[in-house]
Amino acid sequence: MQWKFSGNKAVYLQIMEHIRSAILMGEFPPGARIPPVREFAAQAQVNPNTMQRALLELEREGVLVVRGTTGRYVTNDKTILDAMRQSATDAIVQAAAAQFRMLGLDMKQAAAMLLALDKKEESCE
């Protein structure tokens, strides 16, 4: 996992985003065990307390579950995972829409461009 942090948001929130992305991309599939706090913190080069805070928040959201003393695992709850995927998709769409507007394009023009790109990619397959 590539860990990059910026100064515009709390590090634990950025860690949460990294872990959610890793889950959505299949790096940590449903039911997979995630590394222990200290190991994960060392990988991310952050304080273990910061990593612990991020993991606790993901537990509160239901994204991670604790199984006794064996560690934390990605939830198998499809509803939670689908909601997480929808939230990530919404954020991407909103960011893209804002950039299209900055370029003076309306949503119909943007949609037409996306459809044209899709057709182009289909023809390359």
Side-chain angles (χ1 to χ4, degrees), residues 43-56:
Q43 289 174 15
Q45 297 181 338
V46 298
N47 185 299
N49 293 330
T50 303
M51 181 61 71
Q52 178 71 5
R53 182 173 183 188
L55 297 178
L56 285 172

Side-chain angles (χ1 to χ4, degrees), residues 53-118:
R53 182 173 183 188
L55 297 178
L56 285 172
E57 289 298 322
L58 290 170
E59 281 178 40
R60 285 188 188 109
E61 291 178 3
V63 174
L64 298 178
V65 294
V66 176
R67 294 189 191 151
T69 59
T70 63
R72 288 183 175 97
Y73 296 79
V74 176
T75 185
N76 283 313
D77 187 330
K78 188 171 174 9
T79 304
I80 291 172
L81 296 171
D82 287 347
M84 189 172 63
R85 183 173 306 285
Q86 185 61 51
S87 178
T89 303
D90 290 346
I92 291 168
V93 169
Q94 289 173 3
Q99 290 188 339
F100 282 127
R101 285 188 197 103
M102 270 185 2
L103 296 172
L105 299 169
D106 63 32
M107 291 302 102
K108 287 182 183 177
Q109 291 169 311
M113 292 173 75
L114 289 170
L115 288 171
L117 177 62
D118 185 48

